[in-house]
Amino acid sequence: MTERSGRAGAVARWLLRLARRPYWERPHSSWLVRRWPDLTASLVATFFFWLSLTPSLVPRPWYYQGAIGGITAAIGYGLGALLSWGYRLAFRKRLPGERVRARAWLVYLLALPWAAALMLGQSADMQRELRQLQGLPPTLTWHSLMIALMSLAVLALLLVVARTIRLGTGLLTRLLNRFVPWPVAVALGLTMSTVIVVIGTRDVVWDRGILGVADRIAAAKDRSTDDGVMRPYSPLVSGSPDSLIHWDDLGNKGRTFTGTTLSNDEISEFSGEPALDPARVYVGRAAYDDYADGAELAVRELERVGAFDREVLAITGTTGTGWVNPTTVEALEYMNGGDTAVVTMQYSYLPSWASFMVDRNEAGTATAALVDAVYARWEQEPADDRPKLLIFGESLAVSAIESAFDGLDDLLARTDGALLVGPPDFSPLHSELTEHRDPGSPIWRPVYDEGRHVRFAQFPDLDLAQPPGRPWEYPRVVYLQNASDPVVWWSPNLLFERPEWLNEPLGPDVTTAIDWFPFVTFWQTTVDMAVSYGSPAPHGHRYGSNPVNAWAAIAPPDDWTAADTERLRYLLEVRHPPRHGWAG
């Protein structure tokens, strides 16, 4: 009993000491770690962590939530530390005493586990609600403990990095002070530290690190050929023995695009009538030096396959890797009995996020060269014997396609219709149409000029009929745009400005629990883009078979019916089931 009583007394004394001083102070001024974390900064970090748990546009996996929670908490800690520093600087004589500080820390440490459990529980409920809105099973394993631990680890890592930079700056300043006065040493130390951090982050971590690795991986992927893709032997397809473009120069996405071309038998099986073999032209990045040469090569290849004698000629842009959505292409080919030619030109092999960072303008420049060259050749055909000239693109390709035209009037004058899917926020024409939409229409389903030429849709059967009773004239432009698509809404402005898409009324698949918070919403939407393929169509960045409805509205063949549209939707959903990952 005596030994047990002694242990109990020792524990009690330790708890009493902890209650009197629930924080750590360095034993000597020589210690590099100067002090315990700041209480104000910790409180703000906790608040920001709670904000990170609020729902955004699409459901998030727990590990993504852990990462974003840690990053957001680190942002909060930095802001809180700045506030605390400003208060100490302005009110040095009014700082709380050690007793008040100890009690405040004790309350915080005792309340934190309960508060975190409450926050994570509410977050799980909101994630389940969002999953139900987007057609996902309501059950969801929300690993609360793992989220908390992962967020804490990310926060600690970022704080260690920040403190290392601060300690390094202090050491550099003291070293400089041996040669120059203290004020000059401080200024030089801060300047040199900033330059080192900026250059190190940009050149070493970003350019040579993240982008360098992405470039090597993407280059290796571009040289490969996907399983099941074989070199075509149809003379109507690029990469065939008759083609002006060698199979090896198509790149990975180009080989998939041409090597999976539909046959006339497949199209006839759907239509029940004789069909033609579709023509597909793809100019890989390795096949040309500059964009003008690539566009000229595309025109010569179009002439070789007889594209200007087809019923439909379609120009499409590609995403960063050179990807083209097969559903959108095949919908057009099935619908027109194979009497089609589709042309595109690869400008990069990087994934879209990397392409956006390093060569965002290249997409528009390359696609504009292609559109101008094809249009100039198309104009040479007799006006009453030209193929329908259509354009389309998805995601980053939308901004590239739009950059090829001076505005809506130019697009309508030079084409017979356009299908633009999942347009990014920076797409020039989309931004203009949205900004000048008719009063009363929400930004996620805008109405422009009473729907005379342009209409936006997430649920085509319903949305393409809006506004009711208004004539829809040709040429027609359709934007497929999901209210919950983070690619459509991501913008740097989210850092400091509340977006219109959070105003009432909200989109049909956006939870009412969503709200805007500085910094936080930006990071949430950034993460959402990485998981935007996690929801079924038409939610997130998935559009499924909706291009079938869009093409049926833009350029319907003679005798095409609503029943044909449903049959083709079903066929393409079977041919191209949803898959995970980032397409472009």
Side-chain angles (χ1 to χ4, degrees), residues 227-251:
D227 293 339
V229 175
M230 303 292 291
R231 184 183 184 185
Y233 285 88
S234 167
L236 301 175
V237 177
S238 293
S240 67
D242 299 281
S243 175
L244 302 177
I245 303 156
H246 195 274
W247 174 250
D248 293 336
D249 291 338
L250 291 178

Side-chain angles (χ1 to χ4, degrees), residues 439-511:
S441 61
I443 192 171
W444 46 268
R445 194 71 68 246
V447 175
Y448 179 82
D449 190 25
E450 298 185 325
R452 190 178 307 278
H453 286 286
V454 183
R455 301 199 177 181
F456 295 75
Q458 178 173 355
F459 304 98
D461 288 340
L462 175 65
D463 296 332
L464 292 180
Q466 303 296 324
R470 301 296 183 183
W472 194 4
E473 300 175 6
Y474 292 96
R476 294 177 174 181
V477 178
V478 170
Y479 282 92
L480 294 179
Q481 173 178 297
N482 297 338
S484 58
D485 187 350
V487 174
V488 175
W489 307 124
W490 183 90
S491 166
N493 294 336
L494 290 173
L495 279 166
F496 307 108
E497 183 180 333
R498 180 184 177 86
E500 285 189 81
W501 49 268
L502 283 178
N503 295 341
E504 296 288 348
L506 294 172
D509 54 348
V510 178
T511 174

Side-chain angles (χ1 to χ4, degrees), residues 367-391:
T367 307
L370 177 65
V371 170
D372 290 344
V374 174
Y375 177 77
R377 175 61 182 83
W378 174 83
E379 265 198 318
Q380 297 175 13
E381 296 295 313
D384 58 351
D385 197 32
R386 296 170 180 163
K388 291 180 184 177
L389 184 60
L390 305 176
I391 59 168

Side-chain angles (χ1 to χ4, degrees), residues 260-272:
T260 58
T261 304
L262 294 172
S263 68
N264 59 356
D265 290 337
E266 290 175 295
I267 297 173
S268 291
E269 186 177 352
F270 166 78
S271 65

Side-chain angles (χ1 to χ4, degrees), residues 6 83 91 106 126 136-137 209 228 295 321 342 355 357 408 410 448 458 486 495 503:
L83 290 173
F91 304 101
L106 191 61
M126 289 185 287
L136 290 166
T321 59
V342 179
S355 181
M357 298 300 299
L408 178 62
D410 185 38
Y448 179 82
Q458 178 173 355
L495 279 166
N503 295 341

Side-chain angles (χ1 to χ4, degrees), residues 96-128:
E98 184 175 339
R99 190 174 183 180
V100 174
R101 183 185 174 196
R103 289 182 176 179
W105 264 110
L106 191 61
V107 170
Y108 173 74
L109 293 175
L110 290 174
L112 181 61
W114 301 97
L118 179 63
M119 296 174 195
L120 290 163
Q122 290 179 335
S123 176
D125 292 338
M126 289 185 287
Q127 287 288 323
R128 291 188 184 98

Side-chain angles (χ1 to χ4, degrees), residues 265-545:
D265 290 337
E266 290 175 295
I267 297 173
S268 291
E269 186 177 352
F270 166 78
S271 65
E273 299 178 359
L276 301 178
D277 286 319
R280 291 190 187 181
V281 170
Y282 192 102
V283 182
R285 187 64 187 89
Y288 65 91
D289 294 323
D290 58 51
Y291 298 137
D293 291 338
E296 180 187 0
L297 179 58
V299 170
R300 288 193 286 121
E301 183 79 341
L302 286 172
E303 291 175 332
R304 185 190 66 79
V305 301
F308 298 98
D309 297 323
R310 295 274 168 155
E311 181 68 24
V312 172
L313 171 59
I315 308 170
T316 181
T318 70
T319 60
T321 59
W323 177 78
V324 178
N325 191 338
T327 297
T328 310
V329 177
E330 290 180 7
L332 197 61
E333 293 170 340
Y334 274 114
M335 194 173 291
N336 290 278
D339 197 4
T340 60
V342 179
V343 59
T344 192
M345 185 168 76
Q346 182 188 23
Y347 67 91
S348 173
Y349 54 71
L350 291 172
S352 288
W353 65 268
S355 181
F356 171 80
M357 298 300 299
V358 301
D359 55 9
R360 170 178 162 184
N361 294 328
E362 298 302 302
T365 304
T367 307
L370 177 65
V371 170
D372 290 344
V374 174
Y375 177 77
R377 175 61 182 83
W378 174 83
E379 265 198 318
Q380 297 175 13
E381 296 295 313
D384 58 351
D385 197 32
R386 296 170 180 163
K388 291 180 184 177
L389 184 60
L390 305 176
I391 59 168
F392 66 96
E394 182 167 336
S395 197
L396 188 60
V398 174
S399 64
I401 284 287
E402 290 186 353
S403 298
F405 299 92
D406 293 333
L408 178 62
D409 290 340
D410 185 38
L411 187 152
L412 295 175
R414 297 171 63 194
T415 72
D416 294 303
L419 171 56
L420 304 169
V421 183
D425 175 80
F426 52 83
S427 303
L429 179 55
H430 175 265
S431 299
E432 180 183 348
L433 297 176
T434 302
E435 182 180 355
H436 297 94
R437 66 188 184 276
D438 294 351
S441 61
I443 192 171
W444 46 268
R445 194 71 68 246
V447 175
Y448 179 82
D449 190 25
E450 298 185 325
R452 190 178 307 278
H453 286 286
V454 183
R455 301 199 177 181
F456 295 75
Q458 178 173 355
F459 304 98
D461 288 340
L462 175 65
D463 296 332
L464 292 180
Q466 303 296 324
R470 301 296 183 183
W472 194 4
E473 300 175 6
Y474 292 96
R476 294 177 174 181
V477 178
V478 170
Y479 282 92
L480 294 179
Q481 173 178 297
N482 297 338
S484 58
D485 187 350
V487 174
V488 175
W489 307 124
W490 183 90
S491 166
N493 294 336
L494 290 173
L495 279 166
F496 307 108
E497 183 180 333
R498 180 184 177 86
E500 285 189 81
W501 49 268
L502 283 178
N503 295 341
E504 296 288 348
L506 294 172
D509 54 348
V510 178
T511 174
T512 55
I514 196 172
D515 206 344
W516 174 80
F517 304 99
F519 301 104
V520 177
T521 302
F522 171 80
W523 288 115
Q524 286 182 320
T525 310
T526 302
V527 172
D528 283 347
M529 289 198 294
V531 295
S532 59
Y533 276 83
S535 298
H539 307 288
H541 198 52
R542 287 196 184 274
Y543 291 87
S545 58

